[in-house]
PDB file of all heavy atoms in Angstrom:
ATOM      1  N   GLY A 482     150.256  94.476 101.086  1.00 94.00           N
ATOM      2  CA  GLY A 482     151.499  95.139 101.501  1.00 94.00           C
ATOM      3  C   GLY A 482     151.495  95.398 102.995  1.00 94.00           C
ATOM      4  O   GLY A 482     150.839  94.687 103.777  1.00 94.00           O
ATOM      5  N   SER A 483     152.221  96.456 103.363  1.00 93.00           N
ATOM      6  CA  SER A 483     152.413  96.782 104.780  1.00 93.00           C
ATOM      7  C   SER A 483     151.649  98.022 105.211  1.00 93.00           C
ATOM      8  O   SER A 483     151.851  98.505 106.335  1.00 93.00           O
ATOM      9  CB  SER A 483     153.909  96.981 105.075  1.00 93.00           C
ATOM     10  OG  SER A 483     154.435  98.020 104.251  1.00 93.00           O
ATOM     11  N   GLY A 484     150.826  98.601 104.346  1.00 93.00           N
ATOM     12  CA  GLY A 484     150.018  99.752 104.729  1.00 93.00           C
ATOM     13  C   GLY A 484     150.581 101.080 104.281  1.00 93.00           C
ATOM     14  O   GLY A 484     150.252 102.117 104.889  1.00 93.00           O
ATOM     15  N   VAL A 485     151.401 101.109 103.232  1.00 95.00           N
ATOM     16  CA  VAL A 485     151.977 102.357 102.732  1.00 95.00           C
ATOM     17  C   VAL A 485     150.986 103.007 101.777  1.00 95.00           C
ATOM     18  O   VAL A 485     150.486 102.362 100.838  1.00 95.00           O
ATOM     19  CB  VAL A 485     153.325 102.106 102.017  1.00 95.00           C
ATOM     20  CG1 VAL A 485     153.894 103.411 101.468  1.00 95.00           C
ATOM     21  CG2 VAL A 485     154.301 101.444 102.971  1.00 95.00           C
ATOM     22  N   VAL A 486     150.697 104.273 101.989  1.00 96.00           N
ATOM     23  CA  VAL A 486     149.744 105.012 101.158  1.00 96.00           C
ATOM     24  C   VAL A 486     150.501 106.127 100.454  1.00 96.00           C
ATOM     25  O   VAL A 486     151.161 106.969 101.113  1.00 96.00           O
ATOM     26  CB  VAL A 486     148.599 105.599 102.003  1.00 96.00           C
ATOM     27  CG1 VAL A 486     147.621 106.362 101.114  1.00 96.00           C
ATOM     28  CG2 VAL A 486     147.890 104.503 102.769  1.00 96.00           C
ATOM     29  N   THR A 487     150.418 106.141  99.105  1.00 96.00           N
ATOM     30  CA  THR A 487     151.102 107.136  98.291  1.00 96.00           C
ATOM     31  C   THR A 487     150.081 107.874  97.448  1.00 96.00           C
ATOM     32  O   THR A 487     149.251 107.242  96.776  1.00 96.00           O
ATOM     33  CB  THR A 487     152.159 106.476  97.386  1.00 96.00           C
ATOM     34  OG1 THR A 487     153.052 105.712  98.191  1.00 96.00           O
ATOM     35  CG2 THR A 487     152.920 107.514  96.604  1.00 96.00           C
ATOM     36  N   VAL A 488     150.145 109.201  97.477  1.00 96.00           N
ATOM     37  CA  VAL A 488     149.232 110.044  96.713  1.00 96.00           C
ATOM     38  C   VAL A 488     150.064 110.940  95.808  1.00 96.00           C
ATOM     39  O   VAL A 488     150.864 111.762  96.303  1.00 96.00           O
ATOM     40  CB  VAL A 488     148.340 110.895  97.640  1.00 96.00           C
ATOM     41  CG1 VAL A 488     147.392 111.770  96.817  1.00 96.00           C
ATOM     42  CG2 VAL A 488     147.568 110.016  98.589  1.00 96.00           C
ATOM     43  N   ASN A 489     149.893 110.765  94.503  1.00 95.00           N
ATOM     44  CA  ASN A 489     150.654 111.541  93.518  1.00 95.00           C
ATOM     45  C   ASN A 489     152.167 111.457  93.788  1.00 95.00           C
ATOM     46  O   ASN A 489     152.887 112.463  93.793  1.00 95.00           O
ATOM     47  CB  ASN A 489     150.208 113.011  93.507  1.00 95.00           C
ATOM     48  CG  ASN A 489     148.808 113.172  92.930  1.00 95.00           C
ATOM     49  OD1 ASN A 489     148.261 112.267  92.298  1.00 95.00           O
ATOM     50  ND2 ASN A 489     148.212 114.325  93.163  1.00 95.00           N
ATOM     51  N   LYS A 490     152.598 110.211  94.068  1.00 94.00           N
ATOM     52  CA  LYS A 490     154.009 109.900  94.319  1.00 94.00           C
ATOM     53  C   LYS A 490     154.549 110.603  95.565  1.00 94.00           C
ATOM     54  O   LYS A 490     155.761 110.843  95.675  1.00 94.00           O
ATOM     55  CB  LYS A 490     154.882 110.280  93.110  1.00 94.00           C
ATOM     56  CG  LYS A 490     154.526 109.503  91.851  1.00 94.00           C
ATOM     57  CD  LYS A 490     155.424 109.890  90.691  1.00 94.00           C
ATOM     58  CE  LYS A 490     155.048 109.113  89.443  1.00 94.00           C
ATOM     59  NZ  LYS A 490     155.940 109.471  88.286  1.00 94.00           N
ATOM     60  N   MET A 491     153.663 110.918  96.499  1.00 95.00           N
ATOM     61  CA  MET A 491     154.049 111.544  97.763  1.00 95.00           C
ATOM     62  C   MET A 491     153.387 110.795  98.916  1.00 95.00           C
ATOM     63  O   MET A 491     152.275 110.282  98.762  1.00 95.00           O
ATOM     64  CB  MET A 491     153.619 113.017  97.811  1.00 95.00           C
ATOM     65  CG  MET A 491     154.345 113.925  96.836  1.00 95.00           C
ATOM     66  SD  MET A 491     153.691 115.607  96.896  1.00 95.00           S
ATOM     67  CE  MET A 491     153.963 116.002  98.611  1.00 95.00           C
ATOM     68  N   PRO A 492     154.038 110.660 100.056  1.00 94.00           N
ATOM     69  CA  PRO A 492     153.372 110.066 101.219  1.00 94.00           C
ATOM     70  C   PRO A 492     152.128 110.889 101.568  1.00 94.00           C
ATOM     71  O   PRO A 492     152.168 112.123 101.555  1.00 94.00           O
ATOM     72  CB  PRO A 492     154.434 110.126 102.321  1.00 94.00           C
ATOM     73  CG  PRO A 492     155.720 110.234 101.610  1.00 94.00           C
ATOM     74  CD  PRO A 492     155.447 111.005 100.354  1.00 94.00           C
ATOM     75  N   PHE A 493     151.051 110.187 101.852  1.00 92.00           N
ATOM     76  CA  PHE A 493     149.798 110.928 102.055  1.00 92.00           C
ATOM     77  C   PHE A 493     149.855 111.777 103.318  1.00 92.00           C
ATOM     78  O   PHE A 493     149.063 112.704 103.485  1.00 92.00           O
ATOM     79  CB  PHE A 493     148.613 109.946 102.087  1.00 92.00           C
ATOM     80  CG  PHE A 493     148.330 109.351 103.423  1.00 92.00           C
ATOM     81  CD1 PHE A 493     147.115 109.550 104.051  1.00 92.00           C
ATOM     82  CD2 PHE A 493     149.277 108.559 104.080  1.00 92.00           C
ATOM     83  CE1 PHE A 493     146.835 108.990 105.271  1.00 92.00           C
ATOM     84  CE2 PHE A 493     148.994 107.996 105.292  1.00 92.00           C
ATOM     85  CZ  PHE A 493     147.762 108.211 105.899  1.00 92.00           C
ATOM     86  N   VAL A 494     150.831 111.507 104.219  1.00 94.00           N
ATOM     87  CA  VAL A 494     150.998 112.363 105.394  1.00 94.00           C
ATOM     88  C   VAL A 494     151.492 113.742 104.967  1.00 94.00           C
ATOM     89  O   VAL A 494     151.103 114.764 105.544  1.00 94.00           O
ATOM     90  CB  VAL A 494     151.970 111.715 106.397  1.00 94.00           C
ATOM     91  CG1 VAL A 494     152.200 112.632 107.602  1.00 94.00           C
ATOM     92  CG2 VAL A 494     151.447 110.377 106.850  1.00 94.00           C
TER      93      VAL A 494
END
Side-chain angles (χ1 to χ4, degrees):
S483 58
V485 178
V486 180
T487 305
V488 180
N489 290 345
K490 298 181 180 181
M491 293 176 58
F493 86 119
V494 178

